[in-house]
Amino acid sequence: RQMCIRDSFKLIHYPVINRYRLYNLKTDPLEMDDLAGAADYQGTVDVLRKELRALESAMADPLLAGRAP
């Protein structure tokens, strides 16, 4: 699993099952309310996914070896 945090949002990606979870750490510090599927947060998910992809490339993440971009 990979994750990144920006401002108060945390995006977690589970590459084996290609699932994303998004949490607002300011209002939900226990990460109980997954916002990834909520329409109001799709822009946030998109921004954090781009950041996560950049981190994955910079770190040459072995979990992603052979995965299509």
Side-chain angles (χ1 to χ4, degrees):
R1 116 186 122 161
Q2 300 97 8
M3 69 93 175
C4 67
I5 298 173
R6 182 179 200 212
D7 300 324
S8 64
F9 290 98
K10 177 179 180 179
L11 182 74
I12 304 170
H13 179 226
Y14 299 91
V16 174
I17 61 173
N18 197 31
R19 172 122 186 197
Y20 289 89
R21 295 189 182 267
L22 177 70
Y23 299 101
N24 183 333
L25 299 175
K26 186 175 184 178
T27 61
D28 181 22
L30 298 178
E31 300 177 15
M32 303 295 285
D33 186 21
D34 179 12
L35 303 170
D40 290 348
Y41 293 94
Q42 288 311 298
T44 302
V45 170
D46 292 342
V47 167
L48 290 175
R49 283 176 67 178
K50 287 178 187 174
E51 286 188 23
L52 188 56
R53 281 191 216 121
L55 284 170
E56 291 167 351
S57 294
M59 297 177 148
D61 190 336
L63 275 177
L64 303 175
R67 184 183 87 170

